[in-house]
Amino acid sequence: MLIGFIYSLLYLLTMFFLYISGKYIAEERMPYWSAALIGIIAYTFDEGLRFGRGIDYNLYYELNKEIVSGSNDTYEYLFVQFLKGNAAIGGSWQVAVFIMSLFFIFSVYVFMQDFKKVSPYALPLVIPVFFVAENLMRWFFSFSFVLIGMHFLFKGKLLDKFIYWGLCIIAILVHKAMIPIAFLFFMLRYQKKAICSFPVALALFLFLSTFFSTEYMISFIDLFQALSFLARTENYANNAEYWLSGGYGGNEVKLSISIVFFMIVSLYIAYRYEKLYSPKYMLLFNLFILGFIFYPFYRRIELFARYGYLLTCFSIIFTGVAFRLHCINKIRIPYALILVFILSVANLMRTHIVPSFSNPKCYLFVWDKKGKEYIDAQYFFDKEFKK
């Protein structure tokens, strides 16, 4: 009970401090990075001091030792150097987790420099919307470089494009699966209008929700195995049917009602004010549309879900835009729509907070470790996939 209370309190306090940080930024009460420091400290304390957070924390504990000792050389160069550098200064795996959490929230604030006025509404949503980052640490550590790169991509000048690609190369040298994201973001930067209308996006979403089955992916097994030529990908190749047919849950994984409602309302709001968007907003808008349409697909296939998270996360910007315009009386959002949105966010938060009381072992902090270095990852698999 106490663990759940502490986790819930810090979860809500972090959202509150992110709101205060965003409010100070929007109102220009203090220099940008002084206000940003409030949110950065709160988020890093909350996420960076978590112990055994998610499956990856516990799997990477052993991998970290192998990489540092040189017995495992199958990981990307910069990720290896990061772990070795951390070990060289005496840092444990927990310190590496702390640094990755710090760098991720720092990258969010670099990105948000282009969206200062919507910060009070967008930043608190980082906690529920980026919740998966607590598990996929290396993935979001890599994405952090892309997120910083987007700040330069928005500017559009030649030098800024080189900086974007330089940061993307760093991201790829942390996690090579970031390659498609780097190219997709760059290409959509030049799309000047929405890739499809709201009714079309909703129809495609409903079509995939109704008719898509992970069994369709079986035909891609041979191709997947042929493309797997690196030592570290052999496990995926040898278990291609498991990964491509949704072996971790597959068709039994139901679409999250909380996330679906949140995305539908966010996307509807985003479409209502499409004509107001500058190119930087249009890029994020189209990424969000793609993420929404393919949610029923990637929700059931873990390997693709990681990409989906990086598309739908930009929903926070559009809800921020809408609520800011509503608050300054420039537009009026129907109160029924506001209520549905608030309830969907509240329910999404509930799915993160309630389990901390029923399953506290998955929500520990460093002061709860009691001499342990990690938690058996199988415990998480049992809790997540054998409900």
Side-chain angles (χ1 to χ4, degrees):
M1 182 67 74
L2 180 60
I3 291 173
F5 174 77
I6 293 173
Y7 173 81
S8 304
L9 178 63
L10 290 177
Y11 183 104
L12 295 173
L13 279 175
T14 303
M15 290 187 69
F16 173 74
F17 283 119
L18 286 170
Y19 166 75
I20 294 298
S21 173
K23 185 176 176 63
Y24 286 175
I25 288 171
E27 296 176 357
E28 299 181 348
R29 292 192 188 183
M30 58 177 66
Y32 181 85
W33 285 107
S34 296
L37 194 60
I38 298 171
I40 290 173
I41 291 174
Y43 182 91
T44 306
F45 180 85
D46 181 35
E47 288 296 305
L49 297 183
R50 287 283 305 283
F51 168 71
R53 66 181 222 200
I55 296 170
D56 280 12
Y57 178 105
N58 304 290
L59 292 178
Y60 273 92
Y61 172 76
E62 291 295 340
L63 286 171
N64 174 59
K65 293 199 297 184
E66 294 175 5
I67 290 171
V68 170
S69 67
S71 61
N72 188 331
D73 61 355
T74 61
Y75 281 79
E76 289 82 350
Y77 177 76
L78 287 184
F79 183 64
V80 170
Q81 297 309 310
F82 164 67
L83 293 182
K84 288 185 175 181
N86 175 61
I89 61 173
S92 63
W93 170 237
Q94 182 70 55
V95 172
V97 170
F98 183 90
I99 293 172
M100 286 189 282
S101 300
L102 171 61
F103 189 67
F104 170 67
I105 192 62
F106 168 75
S107 73
V108 169
Y109 273 97
V110 173
F111 173 80
M112 288 301 298
Q113 287 181 100
D114 298 290
F115 306 97
K116 295 177 182 178
K117 294 300 182 182
V118 306
S119 294
Y121 315 99
L123 282 172
L125 293 176
V126 167
I127 300 301
V129 172
F130 284 95
F131 180 75
V132 70
E134 77 164 30
N135 180 41
L136 302 177
M137 289 171 285
R138 184 165 72 98
W139 181 250
F140 279 90
F141 183 41
S142 174
F143 180 61
S144 298
F145 291 98
V146 179
L147 207 53
I148 294 172
M150 293 183 75
H151 172 63
F152 296 94
L153 184 62
F154 291 146
K155 296 179 181 180
K157 295 180 180 179
L158 183 61
L159 177 60
D160 295 314
K161 292 176 184 176
F162 276 113
I163 295 174
Y164 168 78
W165 280 111
L167 288 163
C168 285
I169 289 172
I170 294 174
I172 292 164
L173 290 174
V174 172
H175 202 308
K176 65 173 64 66
M178 204 57 61
I179 293 174
I181 289 296
F183 281 97
L184 177 64
F185 284 20
F186 186 78
M187 290 187 293
L188 285 181
R189 173 67 176 82
Y190 301 98
Q191 176 68 24
K192 297 182 179 180
K193 58 182 181 179
I195 54 179
C196 67
S197 64
F198 179 73
V200 171
L202 185 59
L204 291 171
F205 172 86
L206 293 174
F207 177 82
L208 284 175
S209 299
T210 305
F211 297 106
F212 174 73
S213 169
T214 55
E215 294 175 1
Y216 301 151
M217 300 302 294
I218 298 296
S219 58
F220 293 96
I221 289 177
D222 291 340
L223 175 62
F224 186 75
Q225 290 175 331
L227 293 175
S228 183
F229 55 87
L230 295 175
R232 188 160 51 84
T233 60
E234 286 181 0
N235 177 59
Y236 292 103
N238 294 334
N239 297 281
E241 182 173 354
Y242 175 88
W243 292 106
L244 290 180
S245 63
Y248 80 109
N251 294 319
E252 295 180 1
V253 175
K254 298 178 180 179
L255 304 184
S256 168
I257 298 301
S258 302
I259 296 176
V260 169
F261 267 105
F262 174 79
M263 288 197 297
I264 289 177
V265 174
S266 299
L267 192 62
Y268 174 72
I269 290 173
Y271 267 108
R272 286 190 60 165
Y273 312 110
E274 176 188 348
K275 294 180 180 179
L276 300 176
Y277 298 152
S278 62
K280 65 183 180 183
Y281 284 98
M282 192 55 66
L283 165 60
L284 305 184
F285 185 37
N286 283 318
L287 292 172
F288 183 23
I289 293 172
L290 287 176
F292 172 75
I293 290 173
F294 289 104
Y295 176 75
F297 167 78
Y298 69 73
R299 168 68 177 168
R300 296 188 176 106
I301 302 178
E302 195 267 349
L303 287 179
F304 296 110
R306 299 167 184 240
Y307 291 106
Y309 300 141
L310 305 188
L311 303 180
T312 55
C313 66
F314 296 114
S315 60
I316 66 174
I317 297 298
F318 300 103
T319 52
V321 169
F323 279 99
R324 176 179 179 271
L325 293 176
H326 178 83
C327 290
I328 63 176
N329 295 317
K330 195 168 183 179
I331 62 169
R332 301 306 299 173
I333 303 175
Y335 285 104
L337 195 61
I338 294 176
L339 179 61
V340 171
F341 176 79
I342 292 174
L343 289 176
S344 65
V345 173
N347 194 44
L348 183 61
M349 292 166 58
R350 179 191 64 80
T351 63
H352 300 158
I353 290 175
V354 171
S356 67
F357 290 93
S358 59
N359 188 25
K361 190 174 179 179
C362 296
Y363 298 87
L364 304 177
F365 287 87
V366 291
W367 50 80
D368 302 309
K369 60 191 301 183
K370 298 178 180 178
K372 295 182 180 180
E373 297 297 335
Y374 67 97
I375 301 169
D376 185 356
Q378 189 60 45
Y379 179 83
F380 290 86
F381 281 107
D382 292 342
K383 290 294 180 182
E384 291 296 319
F385 309 138
K386 296 182 180 180
K387 291 179 180 179

